[in-house]
Amino acid sequence: MLPARPLLVAAAVFLLLLPVHVAIVAAQGFRGFSYLLNCGAASPTTDSRGLRWDPDGDYVSAGTPGVVSLSGLINPTLATLRTFPLRYGAKFCYELPVDRNRRYLIRPTFFYGALFASSSAPPPPVFDLIVDGTFWTAVNTTDDALAGAASSYEGVFPASGRNMSFCLGVNPDYTDARPFISALQVIQLDDSVYNATDFPTSAMGLIARTKFGSTGGIERYPNDSFDRYWQPFPDDKHAVSSTQNVTSADFWNLPPPDVFNTAFIAEQDAPLVLQWPPVPLQNDSYYVALYFADTLPDNQGPLTCI
Ligand SMILES: *[C@@H]1O[C@H](CO)[C@@H](O)[C@H](O)[C@H]1NC(C)=O
Ligand SMILES: *[C@@H]1O[C@H](CO)[C@@H](O)[C@H](O)[C@H]1NC(C)=O
Ligand SMILES: *[C@@H]1O[C@H](CO)[C@@H](O)[C@H](O)[C@H]1NC(C)=O
Ligand SMILES: *[C@@H]1O[C@H](CO)[C@@H](O)[C@H](O)[C@H]1NC(C)=O
Ligand SMILES: *[C@@H]1O[C@H](CO)[C@@H](O)[C@H](O)[C@H]1NC(C)=O
Ligand SMILES: *[C@@H]1O[C@H](CO)[C@@H](O)[C@H](O)[C@H]1NC(C)=O
């Protein structure tokens, strides 16, 4: 059945479902147990959004603070890092008090400035991330480091105890350089966010979170209350924009209302075909949330989804 009117897709989220082994003070601007840690820092720093990032020393006992020898960094949290010893098979962990009945967004960031400090520096290390004992992903900053960029990973994990442990694992298969971390965000989510997922058996690793039709910057906190990042996805042929007063407070995943101000619209009598997400996918289980906004005048008939 064809849509009775053009179909608009405003935004979407694509998350990889990860198997899970059953097994204090909120950062400014966020609820519950939330942390913005500037790894290796000696004192708090404030970013361009007015968010305060605290030193990580209270939550980790291993590792050595260090500085990135690069001046003029736009993001102040990338200027320091914490480096861990290259002890094969070792795990180095952050222990963060959490509410055991809640879910958390975790976003570690890695910026390997040393590559630029010296051309003879070894290639960036590759290592594992482990949350509450469950392998999450391998970190490989090589491509981002060559582009002079930081690497971020994002996942959603259920708390399984009073502390959540976030660990870097040395993997001798990968590397002979020491694991490191530049920043760590742990943000408590509202209960309704991603609640269609069976968190006792699954966690989620982000593949893509997209604001279709946007040519602007990444949308994040304060627009997104949990500092989720909505990446722009421009397309001359299908993009439309308008200013709508969309109320998204009823949506369980609480997308920021602003993502509905741009969209892709199908051409008359033609399907809207997208290459999304823009990365190859493995045969696995995924969670996909698509958001549609009916932004045309009321006299054009009801929206029919097929
Ligand atoms: C929980 O985390 C806090 C802060 O990192 C730490 O002091 C405490 O030892 C941890 N408790 C356990 C049981 O690991
Ligand atoms: C890390 O990424 C680089 C560039 O994509 C690749 O050449 C290298 O093999 C990767 N390392 C590991 C251990 O996967
Ligand atoms: C998700 O949360 C919403 C809002 O609290 C609730 O109405 C809904 O039943 C929940 N869904 C599931 C699958 O738990
Ligand atoms: C954040 O929201 C404000 C107000 O709706 C809007 O003007 C701004 O463009 C949004 N930021 C981004 C990056 O989309
Ligand atoms: C959106 O809401 C604001 C405040 O309620 C109002 O001033 C504005 O005119 C509305 N915009 C549209 C496009 O309806
Ligand atoms: C994907 O994995 C499932 C479960 O392991 C399997 O049944 C299915 O045949 C696989 N599909 C492909 C295209 O490999």
Side-chain angles (χ1 to χ4, degrees):
M1 189 178 156
L2 282 173
R5 59 190 301 180
L7 190 58
L8 290 105
V9 54
V13 179
F14 207 101
L15 296 134
L16 168 65
L17 299 176
L18 304 161
V20 165
H21 304 299
V22 179
I24 306 178
V25 176
Q28 178 198 351
F30 301 102
R31 273 161 277 191
F33 290 93
S34 294
Y35 303 88
L36 302 181
L37 301 181
N38 182 12
C39 304
S43 56
T45 182
T46 302
D47 70 13
S48 57
R49 295 178 286 169
L51 291 172
R52 198 182 84 159
W53 293 72
D54 291 315
D56 62 343
D58 287 349
Y59 307 101
V60 63
S61 51
T64 317
V67 291
V68 168
S69 43
L70 204 65
S71 60
L73 285 171
I74 296 167
N75 183 344
T77 66
L78 301 182
T80 59
L81 46 74
R82 180 174 294 270
T83 314
F84 298 95
L86 191 66
R87 203 182 318 134
Y88 290 126
K91 273 196 328 185
F92 301 104
C93 298
Y94 284 80
E95 288 284 341
L96 301 162
V98 289
D99 180 337
R100 65 191 322 158
N101 300 313
R102 310 259 173 199
R103 295 186 278 276
Y104 291 84
L105 178 150
I106 303 185
R107 183 186 298 112
T109 301
F110 308 91
F111 180 62
Y112 194 66
L115 202 65
F116 308 96
S118 139
S119 57
S120 62
V126 178
F127 48 90
D128 291 335
L129 298 184
I130 300 142
V131 177
D132 280 341
T134 296
F135 170 76
W136 172 11
T137 187
V139 172
N140 187 347
T141 60
T142 307
D143 290 335
D144 286 328
L146 285 170
S151 311
S152 272
Y153 294 76
E154 187 190 304
V156 178
F157 294 85
S160 63
R162 286 193 185 165
N163 277 0
M164 184 173 264
S165 77
F166 168 84
C167 310
L168 286 74
V170 178
N171 191 324
D173 294 343
Y174 299 148
T175 187
D176 46 10
R178 299 190 299 159
F180 72 100
I181 182 166
S182 306
L184 177 62
Q185 276 175 286
V186 176
I187 295 171
Q188 184 171 305
L189 297 175
D190 284 9
D191 290 345
S192 67
V193 175
Y194 308 135
N195 72 350
T197 302
D198 181 17
F199 277 97
T201 59
S202 297
M204 304 202 288
L206 180 67
I207 307 288
R209 184 181 293 110
T210 307
K211 182 177 174 182
F212 292 113
S214 170
T215 52
I218 297 171
E219 182 148 354
R220 48 189 193 150
Y221 183 87
N223 293 34
D224 188 293
S225 4
F226 310 107
D227 201 22
R228 293 170 296 186
Y229 291 6
W230 298 80
Q231 303 280 349
F233 191 127
D235 175 344
D236 292 345
K237 208 165 151 198
H238 298 108
V240 292
S241 67
S242 62
T243 307
Q244 296 293 321
N245 277 341
V246 172
T247 308
S248 57
D250 295 340
F251 292 22
W252 299 347
N253 289 346
L254 300 171
D258 207 63
V259 301
F260 294 96
N261 289 344
T262 62
F264 282 166
I265 185 165
E267 291 170 283
Q268 198 77 45
D269 299 331
L272 178 56
V273 180
L274 298 178
Q275 184 71 45
W276 181 88
V279 290
L281 295 172
Q282 292 171 348
N283 183 10
D284 224 320
S285 299
Y286 297 94
Y287 169 84
V288 183
L290 294 165
Y291 301 96
F292 298 92
D294 188 10
T295 57
L296 295 178
D298 284 342
N299 58 8
Q300 295 196 8
L303 175 73
T304 314
C305 287
I306 49 168

